[in-house]
């Protein structure tokens, strides 16, 4: 199997000096040829506009595939208490907004601090949240970052309606010795594809850094991954990206993901 038939997606971007509104970005992504887009972390706090952006996406025949849930406070779910209740309320609101807009996937970090340990309190939280999300028709996609032990505990206990979001940049700079594309190959629901120098999470275009894309593409092909190949990009750490007009950068990104598909 090759990846030639996989759809391609793009993250909304606020780090380019010419970044237009998300409404305008949706139109541009569709015009350039992307099949889907999503909201990555930190792009917006106007989550109440998710149904509006979903409507814009339908008008331009592009899929609004996923939203990244805020991760601030997620460590509390392993500890319990009022902060955990507050985060559960946030997660429920995000699920409700995704369901209202027909957005099928909510990407979530299972923790932030590597010092947090697995607890029954936390596992109970993720079980409740997964059950609620399933009734709303929203898949939870658990993303790799700085807490692989928490991710693995959640993945081992999660309903198979939910699954894994593979972030290639996080793997390279945080956990380079863990090959998630193999570990969770049968649970892969979403991708965050980007590159870096192996030191910082820079969100460069694939092939601009040190990630091993040849082996990664081969692993996805072997796993028969038929989901979207999603670019999760930023321009803050790349002067050459910022110097391009925004539309040119988006077109450049589209050509790069097409190159990745052909590897």
């Amino acid at each position: 199997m090759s990846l030639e038939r996989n759809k391609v997606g793009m993250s909304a971007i606020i780090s380019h000096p010419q970044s237009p509104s998300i409404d305008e970005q949706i139109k541009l992504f569709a015009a350039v040829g992307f099949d889907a887009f999503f909201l990555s972390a930190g792009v917006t706090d106007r989550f109440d506009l998710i149904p509006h952006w979903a409507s814009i996406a339908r008008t331009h025949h592009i899929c609004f595939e996923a939203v990244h849930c805020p991760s601030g406070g997620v460590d509390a779910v392993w500890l319990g208490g009022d902060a955990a209740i507050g985060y559960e309320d946030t997660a429920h609101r995000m699920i409700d907004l995704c369901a209202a807009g027909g957005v099928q996937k909510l990407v979530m970090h299972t923790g932030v601090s590597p010092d947090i340990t697995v607890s029954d309190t936390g596992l109970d939280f993720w079980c409740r949240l997964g059950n609620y999300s399933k009734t709303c028709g929203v898949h939870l996609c658990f993303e790799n970052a700085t807490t692989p032990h928490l991710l693995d505990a959640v993945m081992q206990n999660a309903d198979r309606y939910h699954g894994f979001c593979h972030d290639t940049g996080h793997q390279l700079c945080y956990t380079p010795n863990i090959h998630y594309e193999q570990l969770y190959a049968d649970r892969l629901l979403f991708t965050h594809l980007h590159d870096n120098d192996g030191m910082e999470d820079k969100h460069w275009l694939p092939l601009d850094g040190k990630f091993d894309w040849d082996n990664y593409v081969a692993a996805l092909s072997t796993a028969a991954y038929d989901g979207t190949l999603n670019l999760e990009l930023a321009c803050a750490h790349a002067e050459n990206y910022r110097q391009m007009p925004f539309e040119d950068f988006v077109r450049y990104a589209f050509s790069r993901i097409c190159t990745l598909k052909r590897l």
Side-chain angles (χ1 to χ4, degrees):
M1 175 185 172
S2 73
L3 300 179
E4 279 288 342
R5 296 185 179 180
N6 289 69
K7 294 180 178 180
V8 293
M10 180 71 164
S11 60
I13 294 174
I14 61 170
S15 54
H16 190 282
Q18 298 173 7
S19 292
S21 68
I22 292 177
D23 290 43
E24 293 301 316
Q25 291 191 44
I26 294 169
K27 298 175 188 177
L28 177 59
F29 296 161
V32 165
F34 284 100
D35 304 294
F37 83 99
F38 67 101
L39 299 180
S40 54
V43 168
T44 183
D45 59 1
R46 289 299 309 275
F47 298 114
D48 57 302
L49 292 177
I50 287 172
H52 164 74
W53 289 321
S55 177
I56 296 291
R58 286 190 292 270
T59 298
H60 294 278
H61 309 289
I62 185 171
C63 177
F64 185 2
E65 190 170 5
V67 172
H68 198 304
C69 187
S71 56
V74 67
D75 285 346
V77 306
W78 298 99
L79 305 173
D82 291 344
I85 295 171
Y87 189 80
E88 188 163 7
D89 290 343
T90 295
H92 274 234
R93 175 173 178 260
M94 296 299 296
I95 292 167
D96 291 343
L97 286 167
C98 285
V103 179
Q104 296 185 344
K105 296 168 184 172
L106 182 65
V107 176
M108 304 196 72
H109 287 194
T110 55
V112 175
S113 171
D115 295 330
I116 297 294
T117 58
V118 175
S119 68
D120 290 340
T121 297
L123 293 177
D124 286 346
F125 163 82
W126 291 110
C127 181
R128 291 195 308 273
L129 192 69
N131 290 339
Y132 179 74
S133 191
K134 186 175 182 179
T135 65
C136 295
V138 177
H139 301 272
L140 300 182
C141 303
F142 306 111
E143 180 182 356
N144 60 294
T146 55
T147 55
H149 61 300
L150 300 180
L151 170 63
D152 192 61
V154 172
M155 288 293 297
Q156 293 299 328
N157 286 275
D159 187 302
R160 294 190 71 86
Y161 181 81
H162 309 298
F164 177 55
C165 171
H166 189 196
D167 188 301
T168 57
H170 289 174
Q171 177 172 316
L172 179 60
C173 67
Y174 297 142
T175 55
N177 296 320
I178 302 177
H179 294 281
Y180 293 103
E181 70 276 13
Q182 299 172 15
L183 185 61
Y184 302 127
D186 62 336
R187 302 289 302 277
L188 184 60
L189 292 182
F190 203 65
T191 54
H192 284 175
L193 306 182
H194 55 103
D195 216 329
N196 59 60
D197 58 1
M199 301 295 290
E200 294 183 64
D201 187 24
K202 295 178 180 291
H203 288 264
W204 290 342
L205 281 161
L207 306 174
D208 280 358
K210 295 183 176 181
F211 191 78
D212 186 347
W213 293 102
D214 289 313
N215 282 335
Y216 183 67
V217 169
L220 291 188
S221 298
T222 299
Y225 175 65
D226 60 1
T228 308
L229 302 172
N230 295 288
L231 294 172
E232 188 185 35
L233 305 178
C235 302
H237 299 284
E239 181 64 28
N240 58 320
Y241 298 171
R242 295 196 300 274
Q243 289 179 351
M244 296 181 194
F246 185 81
E247 181 174 340
D248 289 354
F249 173 69
V250 172
R251 293 186 182 279
Y252 184 54
F254 181 75
S255 69
R256 184 61 59 85
I257 193 66
C258 290
T259 297
L260 197 65
K261 288 177 64 174
R262 289 192 297 267
L263 279 179

Coordinates of all heavy atoms in Angstrom, one line a residue, residues 109-148:
H109 N -4.0 15.9 25.2 CA -2.8 15.4 25.9 C -3.3 14.7 27.1 O -4.2 15.2 27.8 CB -1.9 16.6 26.2 CG -1.2 17.2 25.1 ND1 -0.1 18.1 25.2 CD2 -1.3 17.0 23.7 CE1 0.4 18.4 24.1 NE2 -0.4 17.8 23.1
T110 N -2.6 13.7 27.5 CA -3.0 12.9 28.7 C -2.3 13.5 30.0 O -2.5 13.1 31.1 CB -2.7 11.4 28.6 OG1 -1.3 11.3 28.2 CG2 -3.6 10.8 27.5
G111 N -1.3 14.4 29.7 CA -0.6 15.0 30.8 C 0.5 15.9 30.3 O 0.7 15.9 29.1
V112 N 1.0 16.7 31.2 CA 2.1 17.7 30.8 C 3.4 17.4 31.5 O 4.4 17.3 31.0 CB 1.6 19.1 31.0 CG1 2.7 20.1 30.8 CG2 0.4 19.5 30.2
S113 N 3.3 17.3 32.9 CA 4.5 17.1 33.7 C 4.9 15.6 33.7 O 4.1 14.8 34.1 CB 4.2 17.6 35.1 OG 5.3 17.2 35.9
P114 N 6.1 15.3 33.4 CA 6.6 13.9 33.5 C 6.6 13.4 34.9 O 6.7 12.1 35.1 CB 8.1 14.0 33.0 CG 8.1 15.2 32.1 CD 7.2 16.2 32.8
D115 N 6.4 14.2 35.9 CA 6.5 13.8 37.3 C 5.1 13.2 37.8 O 5.0 12.6 38.8 CB 6.8 15.0 38.2 CG 8.3 15.4 38.0 OD1 9.1 14.6 37.6 OD2 8.5 16.6 38.2
I116 N 4.1 13.5 37.0 CA 2.7 13.0 37.3 C 2.7 11.5 37.2 O 3.2 10.9 36.2 CB 1.6 13.6 36.5 CG1 1.6 15.1 36.7 CG2 0.3 13.0 36.7 CD1 1.1 15.5 38.1
T117 N 2.1 10.7 38.1 CA 2.1 9.3 38.0 C 0.7 8.8 37.7 O -0.3 9.5 37.9 CB 2.5 8.6 39.3 OG1 1.7 9.1 40.4 CG2 4.0 9.0 39.6
V118 N 0.6 7.6 37.2 CA -0.7 7.0 36.8 C -1.5 6.7 38.1 O -0.9 6.3 39.1 CB -0.5 5.7 36.1 CG1 -1.8 5.0 35.8 CG2 0.3 5.9 34.7
S119 N -2.8 7.0 38.1 CA -3.6 6.7 39.3 C -5.0 6.2 38.8 O -5.4 6.5 37.7 CB -3.8 8.0 40.1 OG -4.6 9.0 39.4
D120 N -5.6 5.5 39.7 CA -7.0 5.1 39.5 C -7.9 6.3 39.2 O -8.9 6.2 38.4 CB -7.5 4.2 40.6 CG -6.8 2.9 40.7 OD1 -6.2 2.4 39.7 OD2 -6.9 2.3 41.8
T121 N -7.7 7.4 40.0 CA -8.5 8.6 39.8 C -8.4 9.1 38.4 O -9.4 9.4 37.7 CB -8.0 9.7 40.8 OG1 -8.2 9.2 42.1 CG2 -8.8 11.0 40.5
G122 N -7.2 9.1 37.8 CA -7.0 9.6 36.5 C -7.6 8.6 35.5 O -8.3 9.0 34.5
L123 N -7.4 7.3 35.6 CA -8.0 6.3 34.7 C -9.5 6.4 34.7 O -10.2 6.2 33.7 CB -7.5 4.9 35.0 CG -6.0 4.7 34.8 CD1 -5.6 3.3 35.3 CD2 -5.6 4.9 33.3
D124 N -10.1 6.6 35.9 CA -11.6 6.7 36.0 C -12.0 8.0 35.2 O -13.1 7.9 34.5 CB -12.0 6.9 37.4 CG -11.9 5.5 38.2 OD1 -11.8 4.5 37.5 OD2 -12.0 5.6 39.4
F125 N -11.3 9.1 35.3 CA -11.6 10.3 34.5 C -11.6 10.0 33.1 O -12.6 10.3 32.3 CB -10.6 11.4 34.8 CG -10.7 12.5 33.8 CD1 -11.6 13.5 33.9 CD2 -9.7 12.5 32.8 CE1 -11.7 14.5 32.9 CE2 -9.8 13.5 31.8 CZ -10.8 14.5 31.9
W126 N -10.6 9.4 32.5 CA -10.5 9.1 31.1 C -11.6 8.2 30.6 O -12.1 8.3 29.5 CB -9.1 8.6 30.7 CG -8.1 9.7 30.9 CD1 -7.1 9.8 31.8 CD2 -7.9 10.9 30.1 NE1 -6.3 10.9 31.6 CE2 -6.8 11.6 30.6 CE3 -8.6 11.4 29.0 CZ2 -6.4 12.8 30.0 CZ3 -8.2 12.6 28.5 CH2 -7.1 13.3 29.0
C127 N -11.9 7.2 31.5 CA -13.0 6.3 31.2 C -14.3 7.0 31.0 O -15.1 6.9 30.1 CB -13.1 5.2 32.2 SG -14.4 4.0 31.9
R128 N -14.6 7.9 32.0 CA -15.9 8.7 32.0 C -15.9 9.6 30.7 O -16.9 9.7 30.1 CB -16.0 9.6 33.2 CG -16.3 8.8 34.5 CD -16.8 9.8 35.6 NE -15.9 10.9 35.8 CZ -14.8 10.9 36.6 NH1 -14.4 9.8 37.2 NH2 -14.1 12.0 36.7
L129 N -14.8 10.2 30.5 CA -14.7 11.2 29.4 C -14.9 10.4 28.1 O -15.6 10.9 27.2 CB -13.4 11.9 29.4 CG -13.4 13.1 28.4 CD1 -14.3 14.2 28.9 CD2 -11.9 13.7 28.3
G130 N -14.3 9.3 27.9 CA -14.4 8.5 26.7 C -15.8 8.0 26.5 O -16.3 8.1 25.4
N131 N -16.5 7.6 27.6 CA -17.9 7.2 27.4 C -18.8 8.4 27.0 O -19.6 8.2 26.1 CB -18.4 6.6 28.7 CG -17.8 5.3 29.1 OD1 -17.3 4.6 28.2 ND2 -17.8 4.9 30.4
Y132 N -18.6 9.5 27.6 CA -19.4 10.7 27.2 C -19.1 11.1 25.8 O -20.0 11.3 25.0 CB -19.0 11.9 28.1 CG -19.8 13.1 27.8 CD1 -21.2 13.2 28.1 CD2 -19.2 14.2 27.1 CE1 -21.9 14.3 27.8 CE2 -20.0 15.3 26.8 CZ -21.3 15.4 27.1 OH -22.0 16.5 26.8
S133 N -17.8 11.1 25.4 CA -17.5 11.5 24.0 C -18.0 10.6 23.0 O -18.5 11.0 21.9 CB -15.9 11.6 23.9 OG -15.6 12.2 22.7
K134 N -18.0 9.3 23.3 CA -18.6 8.3 22.4 C -20.1 8.5 22.1 O -20.5 8.4 21.0 CB -18.3 6.9 22.9 CG -18.7 5.8 21.9 CD -18.3 4.4 22.5 CE -18.7 3.3 21.5 NZ -18.2 2.0 22.1
T135 N -20.8 8.8 23.2 CA -22.2 9.1 23.0 C -22.5 10.3 22.2 O -23.6 10.4 21.6 CB -22.9 9.3 24.4 OG1 -22.4 10.4 25.1 CG2 -22.7 8.0 25.3
C136 N -21.5 11.2 22.1 CA -21.6 12.5 21.3 C -21.1 12.3 19.9 O -21.2 13.2 19.1 CB -20.9 13.6 22.0 SG -21.6 14.1 23.6
G137 N -20.6 11.1 19.6 CA -20.0 10.9 18.3 C -18.7 11.5 18.0 O -18.4 11.8 16.8
V138 N -17.9 11.8 19.1 CA -16.6 12.4 18.9 C -15.5 11.4 19.4 O -15.6 10.9 20.5 CB -16.5 13.7 19.7 CG1 -15.1 14.3 19.6 CG2 -17.6 14.7 19.2
H139 N -14.5 11.2 18.5 CA -13.4 10.3 18.8 C -12.4 11.1 19.6 O -11.9 12.2 19.2 CB -12.8 9.8 17.6 CG -13.7 9.0 16.7 ND1 -13.9 7.6 16.9 CD2 -14.4 9.3 15.7 CE1 -14.7 7.1 16.0 NE2 -15.1 8.2 15.2
L140 N -11.9 10.6 20.7 CA -10.8 11.2 21.4 C -9.5 10.7 20.8 O -9.4 9.4 20.6 CB -10.8 10.9 22.9 CG -12.1 11.4 23.7 CD1 -11.9 11.0 25.2 CD2 -12.3 12.9 23.5
C141 N -8.6 11.6 20.5 CA -7.3 11.2 19.9 C -6.2 11.6 20.9 O -5.9 12.8 21.0 CB -7.1 11.8 18.5 SG -8.4 11.5 17.4
F142 N -5.6 10.6 21.5 CA -4.6 10.9 22.6 C -3.2 11.1 22.0 O -2.7 10.2 21.3 CB -4.6 9.7 23.6 CG -6.0 9.5 24.2 CD1 -6.6 8.3 23.9 CD2 -6.6 10.4 25.0 CE1 -7.9 8.0 24.4 CE2 -7.8 10.2 25.5 CZ -8.5 9.0 25.2
E143 N -2.6 12.2 22.2 CA -1.4 12.6 21.5 C -0.1 12.4 22.4 O -0.1 12.6 23.6 CB -1.5 14.1 21.2 CG -0.3 14.7 20.5 CD -0.4 16.2 20.2 OE1 -1.4 16.8 20.5 OE2 0.6 16.8 19.7
N144 N 0.9 11.9 21.7 CA 2.2 11.8 22.4 C 2.9 13.1 22.6 O 2.8 14.0 21.7 CB 3.1 10.9 21.5 CG 3.4 11.5 20.1 OD1 2.5 11.6 19.3 ND2 4.7 11.8 19.9
A145 N 3.5 13.3 23.8 CA 4.2 14.5 24.1 C 5.3 14.2 25.1 O 6.2 13.4 24.8 CB 3.3 15.6 24.6
T146 N 5.2 14.7 26.3 CA 6.2 14.6 27.3 C 5.9 13.6 28.4 O 6.7 13.4 29.3 CB 6.5 15.9 28.0 OG1 5.2 16.4 28.5 CG2 7.0 17.0 27.0
T147 N 4.8 12.9 28.3 CA 4.4 11.9 29.3 C 4.0 10.6 28.7 O 2.8 10.2 28.7 CB 3.2 12.5 30.1 OG1 2.1 12.8 29.2 CG2 3.6 13.7 30.9
P148 N 4.9 9.8 28.1 CA 4.6 8.6 27.5 C 3.9 7.6 28.4 O 3.1 6.7 28.0 CB 5.9 8.1 26.9 CG 7.0 8.8 27.7 CD 6.4 10.1 28.0

